[in-house]
Amino acid sequence: MTTDAGIDVRPASGHTGAEITGVDLAGPLDDAVVAAIRAAVLRWKVVFFREQRLDHTAHVALARRFGEPITPRSRGKASPEGFPQVETTADRLELAGRYGMDRDEWLERRRHTLLRGWHCDHGARVDPPAATILRAETVPPYGGDTTWSNLAAAYEGLSEPVKRFANGLRAEHRLGVGYQTRPGPDSYIQHLQDHQVASVHPLVRVHPETGERLLFVNGYYVEQILGVSRAENSRLLEMFVEQATRPEYTVRFRWEPGSVAFWDNRATVHLAPGDTGHLDFPRVMHRVMLAGDIPVGVDGRPSEAITGSPLHADQ
């Protein structure tokens, strides 16, 4: 589908994702192109571009056309100097030995369920990012795909009685949920104690731009649905997270050097690849996030911080 702005938007699956061609993200973007990209992100939740030639300067400039880039308080060691908004992830550099564990042990201790890896960026903060723009510098010749799921489609897929039930629920999102402590001193537990982050979010969030209702749940941060017993909580979370990540609501993207993914962090959860840890290939990605608002539920109540400052405070 060619838009009035002259770019081509091709859906990548039935519910989620579209590939955009006919635009050079490193060049100047007129207002019509920016509006067309924004509309595609809102409609398809994540959009993909290939063969782009962004450097750090152009990446930040692109982000500024769509919102206010966040300056993270801490970044990985591979992140570039002089570009505080850019976070660089280099899988083997970031995970191996970061907390005194190899990658396999690190993932095993963090992922207490098979759906644990699904998340939105910084979901434990009271103001999660509105969007994320991720570009690939170096990727493996195979493996390393990322998958996204559409939370608006997930909500619409619920039955009417369950929708009404979910509309009134709120849940605690907390950093480090389900982590299994190591015997003896554990540097990751110390990290969590020193950097506690938790918020109460509505289980059903209303999108601030589209008005869509979103099943705002994931396996990475959500610890407790408020007001239910622990036994009920376990079963309800399993049901809602499974609904949020059903295959028919997802899209999977094969990265190439120069690929860019731009997603609505309010309306999606995503799953980082888990199939490259045993491969001796580098995977270097650069991320810029856009400042977001405080989620609001169907009843109009906003999220509340339990501990930890807003992600975008004083910036």
Side-chain angles (χ1 to χ4, degrees), residues 19 47-50 136 144-148 251-256 259-261:
E19 189 159 329
V47 297
F48 309 112
F49 307 83
R50 295 194 183 275
D145 299 356
T146 304
T147 308
W148 288 261
V251 66
R252 180 167 175 157
F253 184 62
R254 176 76 187 98
W255 294 96
E256 300 170 348
S259 296
V260 175

Side-chain angles (χ1 to χ4, degrees), residues 244-313:
T245 57
R246 280 171 54 174
E248 57 263 45
Y249 305 141
T250 68
V251 66
R252 180 167 175 157
F253 184 62
R254 176 76 187 98
W255 294 96
E256 300 170 348
S259 296
V260 175
F262 181 174
W263 67 90
D264 189 334
N265 193 57
R266 303 161 294 192
T268 59
V269 288
H270 61 279
L271 183 66
D275 63 345
T276 59
H278 64 293
L279 303 175
D280 192 22
F281 300 123
R283 185 177 183 273
V284 179
M285 316 289 283
H286 306 287
R287 176 176 74 170
V288 177
M289 299 175 293
L290 301 180
D293 53 358
I294 296 175
V296 174
V298 174
D299 59 2
R301 292 173 59 200
S303 300
E304 300 174 1
I306 297 174
T307 184
S309 59
L311 184 64
H312 198 57

